[in-house]
Amino acid sequence: MSRSDYGTWPSLTAMFFELAQRHGNRPLVWAKSGGVYREWTWREVEGQVRLLARALRARGVKDGERVVLVSENRPEWLIADLAIMAAGGITVPAYTTNTEIDHRYIMADSGAMAAIVSTANLAHRVLPAVADSHAGQFMVTMAAPDFDQLHEAEVVTWRVMLEEGAEAPDEIDAQAARAQRDDVACFIYTSGTGGAPKGVMLSHRNILANCLSAYHLLQQYGLGEEVFLSFLPLSHAYEHTAGQFFPLSIGAQIYYAESADKLLHNLAEVRPTIMTAVPRLYESMHQRLCRAMDRENRLKRRLFELTVELGLKQGAGDGRLSLAERCLDLIAERLVRAKMRRRFGGRLKAMVSGGAALNPDIGRFFTALGLPILQGYGQTEAAPVISANPPHRIKMETVGPPLHGVEVKIAEDGEILVRGDMVMKGYWRAKDATAAALQDGWLHTGDVGEIDEDGYLVITDRKKDIIVFSGGDNVSPARIEGILTLEPEISQAMVYGDKRPHLVALVVPEEEFVRHWAKANGKSVQLAELAQAPDLHKAFQPVMERVNGKLSNLEKIRRYAISPEPFTVANGLMTPTLKIRRHKIRAAYGKVLEELY
């Protein structure tokens, strides 16, 4: 594998077929079966890709036809994605957390003729959308459906599709040879943090360009026999490129994590070399580690704190430690950092953070413990990565310099503009939105930032999220929310104040804090019952005072309310990649927030 390969592959499917011939019986993907990880070789995956592609083509999936894909991360996701493209079609990934209404929207908007789903539960939600869609014809289920045929759309199992593929004409190599770099590979629907999702049309060129950029970044670690743990939803552009197609392009192995609850266990058993995740995951791990330390004896707590202090000192300024500090750091390295690395598998070369802004203090915390985080920046419209910190010169308060092949400039109003082969073809059936986003070859990201003296990009905020007070001053909500959630008592937060005189906040207390407080006060532990309790607000007051002590007068939280529920994907207050949906939270709790003024 070399960087020149990226320039010779005309499509993602051509890349896969060439590499499958090269790697043959080497393991490609691993998934849990009977509690044990089982391997699928390149040859086994290729065989199923070819059979499924032939069956899809025989059923009418021709060039440019869309097929919706709804599944958890698993080998069949990869197979289905590649098979749709190999048949000449366009993959339309959808989140497993989508409601039936969401599926109806995506089926209708994309004009997909078919859907592929994993479980019977998902089939119940997706089949009505397929049947009611003007273009919908059939649905493929990876698991046998547990319902009778009650809809007009045909339901066929994965096994039957592979059998049909064995009998269908073998046109796949010829089809793959006709594919061009500028053909659309997939529609990635935006997660809807601010409104109705739009279908981002990404071409084979876009994703291959992003893979090449990632190669230039990560080869500084010395790429070899790499192992990835796939955790984020593959329906998101970040995991689709960084967790699937980039590993494919370098011949890496991909393990599929079981669930969020088992992630730390999977890290220890898989021992990945590269890990991609979103800030919320790192925040959660930070809180979990801090809580675990609070339960340890004084000596262990002090050693942990000292390790972090020494690591932070090395990462700041000239990074020099005194002789005594160097001796202490050797002890910390052996007793704390080595243990932390083993907890994460012991082989991690890089922990990459993307999808949202990472609080710099979280990044410094893990780096101080011997687990450096490379914060990056991207957008679905850029396939998706735009910039990232290089391994040997991390500036945690930035998202790094633009990647290889990416141009970035700052508009007069501070908006970040991006140009390069990774920029989307446009939004599906949305000419006005496309024209607004793509101007003179530049992608208008909607983010605000600046480029520092070293050429590193600093993100200020989402252009549309910036809070402008009634007096004309403005603040960044993401920065303040990051400071709030660093407090061990606060799990989540959203600040509010656009066109108002000052800021207020809606906060979700950390579950363990609520449990301890409720037990000490003889109360129910149900957050919904406690949210309005005056004495809980009183207990929270010192926390808010600590936060305000770190903020400027303009940024201070004047009043706050406690949310009666966490922000979750299930209640629609977070996206599947764990970013808060501001418009949804405002819709649900706007009255509560307004009453704070």
Side-chain angles (χ1 to χ4, degrees), residues 402-449:
L403 294 184
H404 171 84
V406 180
E407 294 180 72
V408 173
K409 70 177 182 178
I410 308 298
E412 289 185 6
D413 64 354
E415 184 176 9
I416 299 166
L417 310 184
V418 177
R419 184 166 67 181
D421 279 349
M422 75 296 164
V423 172
M424 68 171 180
K425 293 178 74 71
Y427 297 113
W428 173 250
R429 291 178 176 170
K431 289 184 179 180
D432 291 345
T434 299
L438 300 177
Q439 300 178 35
D440 298 324
W442 291 91
L443 170 65
H444 287 239
T445 65
D447 290 320
V448 176

Side-chain angles (χ1 to χ4, degrees), residues 11 32 58 72 182 190 208 309 312-313 317 347 368 400 474 486 572 581:
S11 67
K32 274 288 178 77
E72 308 81 4
D182 288 322
T190 56
L208 284 167
E309 290 168 12
L312 291 175
K313 186 172 182 179
R347 297 193 299 184
N474 60 73
L486 269 180
R581 280 187 161 129

Side-chain angles (χ1 to χ4, degrees), residues 119-162:
T119 65
N121 182 48
L122 286 172
H124 280 284
R125 273 184 273 154
V126 177
L127 185 56
V130 177
D132 292 348
S133 171
H134 176 72
Q137 295 180 23
F138 65 96
M139 181 178 74
V140 179
T141 60
M142 298 175 191
D146 62 351
F147 53 83
D148 295 328
Q149 189 78 35
L150 300 175
H151 298 270
E152 292 181 6
E154 181 184 0
V155 179
V156 57
T157 66
W158 183 273
R159 180 181 58 79
V160 169
M161 286 292 288
L162 297 183

Side-chain angles (χ1 to χ4, degrees), residues 157-200:
T157 66
W158 183 273
R159 180 181 58 79
V160 169
M161 286 292 288
L162 297 183
E163 291 172 355
E164 289 182 6
E167 301 298 325
D170 189 358
E171 307 171 342
I172 302 309
D173 286 327
Q175 175 61 39
R178 289 196 297 271
Q180 300 297 313
R181 284 197 160 215
D182 288 322
D183 292 344
V184 176
C186 58
F187 292 176
I188 302 284
Y189 275 82
T190 56
S191 55
T193 56
K198 297 187 291 290
V200 177

